[in-house]
Amino acid sequence: MTIGQAAAFVGVTVKTVRHYHKLGLVAEPERDSSGFRRYGSAELLRLVRVRTLAAAGVPLAEVGPMLDADTTSFAAAVADVDRQLTARIEELIARRDTLHKLADGDRALLGDRAVALLERMPGLGFPADEVAATREGWVLAKALVPEGFEDYLTHLEHALDDPRYVALIRGAAEAAAWQPDDPRIDELATAMAEHYLANPAQLKIVTGMQARTEAGTRYHLIAHHGEQQGSAAARALALVETKLRSAGVRIPGPDSH
């Protein structure tokens, strides 16, 4: 057979066969009287073995030593390749599962309870941008403090049944459009702090998550997610935290450990 016929027989390109020759995986046959290299059964068998191992995922640098090894060494090499391929398959499956979760959206990232609360918020008067910001904050919270997320949802589920709490949180969302020096910010922060102090169960919405973190930085990232530094919303939350701290409530700052 010519090189073209041998390549077609094995199921590779002529370029691939020549690459195998260059790497020393398959010896080039001698030329015949017409000047063509003729591939016999020995060369074809070697090409099939090289192609089979390469197709199985064996790096070409390892193919030669494997083919030249004795039976025991070959079996050990095959077992090692099998382990590598298994690990690779598991990695690809994990990536595929991650893609599926992303495609599933909120329910996969947050769970049914969180999605139900997000779907409930518009009916309570929260605008779409506030619902979106809440969703992003919850994704961050679940990633940073997964062990406290379900308890947080439980406290929030009960709090959303309280019209006063809902009104205050809606007010905090509306404060995003205020100027940072708006006098209403201090009034809102005072009202929110007083409400939390009067309702210890709802105060756990603020303190429950940070109580489970070793570093205050995590809590700060979650609580202040999406806020622009110096904005009215950031100032309002900072004032609420300051008022709660002055009342003896433990709330860490961004540099707390």
Side-chain angles (χ1 to χ4, degrees):
M1 288 186 179
T2 64
I3 187 172
Q5 293 170 328
F9 177 82
V10 176
V12 296
T13 65
V14 170
K15 183 178 179 180
T16 297
V17 174
R18 287 180 173 145
H19 186 58
Y20 290 166
H21 289 326
K22 183 178 179 180
L23 295 177
L25 297 176
V26 180
E28 287 187 289
E30 296 294 330
R31 296 182 185 275
D32 62 13
S33 58
S34 61
F36 291 101
R37 296 187 186 280
R38 298 293 177 177
Y39 290 76
S41 58
E43 289 83 13
L44 290 176
L45 180 59
R46 181 80 175 188
L47 279 172
V48 168
R49 287 174 173 171
V50 171
R51 178 189 176 280
T52 301
L53 289 173
V58 179
L60 289 179
E62 299 176 17
V63 167
M66 285 183 66
L67 290 177
D68 296 333
D70 57 34
T71 303
T72 302
S73 298
F74 181 82
V78 169
D80 184 59
V81 171
D82 182 70
R83 285 191 293 271
Q84 294 178 34
L85 290 175
T86 299
R88 179 60 175 162
I89 290 170
E90 291 174 351
E91 178 187 351
L92 291 173
I93 290 174
R95 290 186 181 183
R96 181 197 63 189
D97 291 344
T98 298
L99 288 175
H100 287 172
K101 287 181 179 180
L102 292 175
D104 288 341
D106 292 345
R107 201 167 301 278
L109 290 171
L110 295 172
D112 291 340
R113 292 180 68 197
V115 170
L117 287 172
L118 289 172
E119 292 174 345
R120 183 180 173 189
M121 289 179 67
L124 294 173
F126 290 95
D129 57 349
E130 177 63 18
V131 177
T134 298
R135 174 196 175 277
E136 292 179 359
W138 287 0
V139 170
L140 186 61
K142 188 172 183 181
L144 292 177
V145 197
E147 68 278 9
F149 189 64
E150 291 301 316
D151 286 344
Y152 166 81
L153 292 180
T154 298
H155 299 316
L156 188 60
E157 284 169 344
H158 294 311
L160 290 180
D161 291 329
D162 181 348
R164 176 59 177 164
Y165 174 82
V166 172
L168 287 170
I169 299 303
R170 273 206 316 260
E174 293 168 0
W178 299 350
Q179 293 299 314
D181 59 351
D182 193 311
R184 292 176 294 175
I185 294 176
D186 188 69
E187 296 174 6
L188 174 64
T190 299
M192 292 181 70
E194 290 178 348
H195 180 80
Y196 280 130
L197 292 172
N199 296 271
Q202 293 178 18
L203 181 60
K204 291 180 180 179
I205 296 173
V206 179
T207 62
M209 194 77 74
Q210 59 90 6
R212 293 173 180 264
T213 63
E214 295 181 0
T217 302
R218 288 190 188 180
Y219 166 77
H220 190 81
L221 283 171
I222 296 168
H224 296 265
H225 170 73
E227 292 178 354
Q228 295 182 351
Q229 188 173 6
S231 67
R235 181 165 177 262
L237 181 54
L239 283 172
V240 171
E241 292 175 350
T242 298
K243 293 176 185 294
L244 291 176
R245 288 191 193 98
S246 67
V249 178
R250 183 183 178 278
I251 299 178
D255 299 321
S256 302
H257 297 280

